[in-house]
Amino acid sequence: MKKDQNLEVLDKKKRNYQNYMRHFAASQFVRKDKDQEGMQKLASEVGYRLDAKRHVAILYRVNHLPGNWKKTDYELYYFTVENVFCELLGEKNCCISYINFQKSLCLLVGICESPYDAEWIRSLLKKTIEVCDPEGDLGTTAVIGGFYTEANQLYDSYIEAFALERKRCFYEHSGVFYVEDATEEQQENGYLLQNDDFIQRLVAAMRQNQRSLVKEMLRTFADSLALLQPSREQFLLQINQVSSALLDFAMEYGVTETVEKNSKLFSSDYIEISSVSEIQTELIRYGEQILQQVHLSKNSSNSAIVRRTKEYIKAHYQDDELCLEQIADALDVNLQYMCFLFKKQTDTTIGAYILQTRMEMAGKLFQRTNYNVTEVAQRVGFFDVSYFSKCFKKYFGVSPKQYQNVSSNYLKTT
């Protein structure tokens, strides 16, 4: 009895060692800097045929892991997947595997007898999925790399499969895919959307506090980009441009801290593990949160539109052609909304504020310089001197000349 137990323990240790070596060998075979001599020794120990007619790397991934699954659960599941696939593959062919850092099962296959084509491997993978995930609840993605005649080219096959797998999983595609089926998708540079016009329209809608429109614009943008299916990197680049515009808007309105400056959209860890739908949801959430905080901000000093309007007027009051349209265009805001917001928060119109600014500056010039009325009028944006004098008298209660004389006499006596 004791002897049988010892034999059972030894047998279990042997199996564990063999499994470990098979996983270790597979992880080494997909390295770029392989040691050829070491590769031959490993292949001999784990039974991988380096002289196989074709070699190919396959990545098998479960996209919807059950929430209660632990590492041992999906490892056991992948063990089942490998056994089913190897049984379908046949004894004359060979296969070793390991689970990579992305939690995908990497199958390295050596095909010793025909057929050597992708359709045959595709059919085996489809049968494997039918057996291991009959209900389709796990959302399995299986990607077949390129077929190569040399075992040391397994690295190339793996990299091809890895790149395509990332894209398929990013766009939440389930099924079996082969790298050569995606050749038409490589013309990705032409798929880029033109973001500048979209961002201008988005920011304009946000400044007008059109929340429903902003939400719909962000959703449509992500949907349209997903339909084009550019590379994962290009998709994220364009999302980053839009999210950066949202962040700039938040900074402009002084609500950066309250909208979590370190949003998930700016986290590399979040981006690495997220899918298109998750990123779309976060983009919309971020835009809505910014608008909510801007709306809640009642302090007029926090209103960037009013502040920037005042700053623009103070910088351009000398321009005799200064008008509301010019200010709205310069600030990239809706004219009616700009006028409404300014009146609401300052209890005066923009036109009245322009006149006030010009009159105050005219008064300072009369006090501090020897400019005559015509010179002062031109320096504060009035082409018509008589109209300037009329506005000045209405504002100060005296004519420009009288104000100038009083200021001059005051300076002489001080």
Side-chain angles (χ1 to χ4, degrees), residues 14-28:
K14 181 180 179 180
R15 288 198 306 272
N16 288 340
Y17 173 77
Q18 290 174 336
N19 287 333
Y20 166 78
M21 289 305 300
R22 284 164 58 82
H23 300 328
F24 176 73
S27 68
Q28 296 303 299

Side-chain angles (χ1 to χ4, degrees), residues 108-125:
L108 304 184
V109 180
I111 306 174
C112 302
E113 60 178 17
S114 61
Y116 306 118
D117 60 10
E119 286 307 312
W120 177 61
I121 294 293
R122 192 197 301 267
S123 67
L124 300 186
L125 288 169

Side-chain angles (χ1 to χ4, degrees), residues 352-408:
Y353 185 79
I354 293 174
L355 181 63
Q356 175 188 333
T357 302
R358 284 172 167 169
M359 293 298 101
E360 294 295 335
M361 293 307 300
K364 290 179 181 179
L365 288 174
F366 281 132
Q367 294 172 19
R368 301 173 184 176
T369 71
N370 293 320
Y371 294 144
N372 60 38
V373 175
T374 300
E375 289 174 321
V376 170
Q378 292 175 347
R379 287 178 178 274
V380 295
F382 283 87
F383 181 76
D384 188 334
V385 178
S386 62
Y387 181 61
F388 165 74
S389 298
K390 182 179 179 180
C391 292
F392 191 92
K393 185 173 182 178
K394 184 176 182 180
Y395 187 83
F396 285 101
V398 295
S399 69
K401 193 65 178 174
Q402 291 173 319
Y403 189 93
Q404 188 178 38
N405 290 336
V406 172
S407 299
S408 177

Side-chain angles (χ1 to χ4, degrees), residues 61-64 102 139 141 165-174 222-223 225-227 229-233 235-236 239 264-265 267-284:
R61 180 181 179 84
V62 172
N63 296 311
H64 307 306
Q102 294 279 39
T141 299
E165 182 204 43
R166 289 193 72 186
K167 182 173 180 178
R168 292 303 182 189
C169 292
F170 182 67
Y171 287 108
E172 301 173 288
H173 293 160
S174 299
D223 284 343
L225 191 56
L227 284 174
Q229 292 190 20
S231 68
R232 187 173 183 276
E233 290 71 21
F235 181 97
L236 294 176
I239 290 293
K264 291 180 180 179
L265 290 171
S267 167
S268 58
D269 292 339
Y270 175 78
I271 293 298
E272 278 296 320
I273 64 174
S274 296
S275 62
V276 166
S277 61
E278 291 170 326
I279 291 175
Q280 180 190 57
T281 299
E282 178 63 17
L283 184 67
I284 293 172

Side-chain angles (χ1 to χ4, degrees), residues 195-213:
N195 282 359
D196 292 343
D197 180 61
F198 170 77
I199 288 175
Q200 288 179 2
R201 290 186 288 109
L202 175 67
V203 171
M206 294 187 74
R207 284 178 176 155
Q208 295 174 38
N209 198 31
Q210 298 184 30
R211 297 190 185 187
S212 297
L213 177 59

Side-chain angles (χ1 to χ4, degrees), residues 5-238:
Q5 289 178 341
N6 290 337
L7 288 174
E8 185 177 342
V9 170
L10 290 174
D11 184 59
K12 184 177 180 180
K13 287 183 177 180
K14 181 180 179 180
R15 288 198 306 272
N16 288 340
Y17 173 77
Q18 290 174 336
N19 287 333
Y20 166 78
M21 289 305 300
R22 284 164 58 82
H23 300 328
F24 176 73
S27 68
Q28 296 303 299
F29 284 9
V30 295
R31 289 172 59 97
K32 188 174 183 179
D33 56 343
K34 293 184 290 290
D35 172 29
Q36 294 300 320
E37 184 177 345
M39 188 175 174
Q40 290 176 352
K41 290 181 179 178
L42 281 173
S44 175
E45 185 165 352
V46 300
Y48 187 86
R49 296 280 301 275
L50 295 179
D51 61 345
K53 302 296 183 181
R54 295 287 188 277
H55 301 271
V56 62
I58 299 168
L59 288 175
Y60 189 105
R61 180 181 179 84
V62 172
N63 296 311
H64 307 306
L65 285 173
N68 59 345
W69 273 24
K70 300 178 181 178
K71 181 181 178 182
T72 52
D73 293 317
Y74 73 77
E75 285 179 347
L76 179 60
Y77 176 78
Y78 281 153
F79 176 75
T80 303
V81 169
E82 181 183 5
N83 284 339
V84 172
F85 178 76
C86 288
E87 185 175 342
L88 294 170
L89 189 64
E91 294 182 357
K92 292 185 179 180
N93 301 308
C94 57
C95 177
I96 56 177
S97 73
Y98 81 105
I99 299 174
N100 68 9
F101 69 99
Q102 294 279 39
K103 295 182 180 179
S104 296
L105 175 66
C106 176
L107 299 161
L108 304 184
V109 180
I111 306 174
C112 302
E113 60 178 17
S114 61
Y116 306 118
D117 60 10
E119 286 307 312
W120 177 61
I121 294 293
R122 192 197 301 267
S123 67
L124 300 186
L125 288 169
K126 286 182 177 179
K127 290 178 182 177
T128 302
I129 294 174
E130 289 175 3
V131 172
C132 298
D133 185 19
E135 302 298 326
D137 297 332
L138 299 179
T140 304
T141 299
V143 177
I144 308 166
F147 287 75
Y148 292 91
T149 57
E150 300 294 331
N152 59 12
Q153 293 176 293
L154 279 168
Y155 166 81
D156 301 294
S157 183
Y158 174 78
I159 292 300
E160 291 169 350
F162 181 76
L164 183 56
E165 182 204 43
R166 289 193 72 186
K167 182 173 180 178
R168 292 303 182 189
C169 292
F170 182 67
Y171 287 108
E172 301 173 288
H173 293 160
S174 299
V176 181
F177 307 95
Y178 176 43
V179 289
E180 292 191 8
D181 294 338
T183 52
E184 72 278 1
E185 296 177 9
Q186 294 176 0
Q187 306 299 323
E188 293 167 334
N189 290 335
Y191 290 163
L192 295 179
L193 296 177
Q194 299 300 314
N195 282 359
D196 292 343
D197 180 61
F198 170 77
I199 288 175
Q200 288 179 2
R201 290 186 288 109
L202 175 67
V203 171
M206 294 187 74
R207 284 178 176 155
Q208 295 174 38
N209 198 31
Q210 298 184 30
R211 297 190 185 187
S212 297
L213 177 59
V214 169
K215 184 176 181 179
E216 187 59 31
M217 287 180 71
L218 291 174
R219 177 181 287 108
T220 302
F221 173 76
D223 284 343
S224 301
L225 191 56
L227 284 174
L228 295 176
Q229 292 190 20
S231 68
R232 187 173 183 276
E233 290 71 21
Q234 289 172 338
F235 181 97
L236 294 176
L237 174 64
Q238 298 218 4

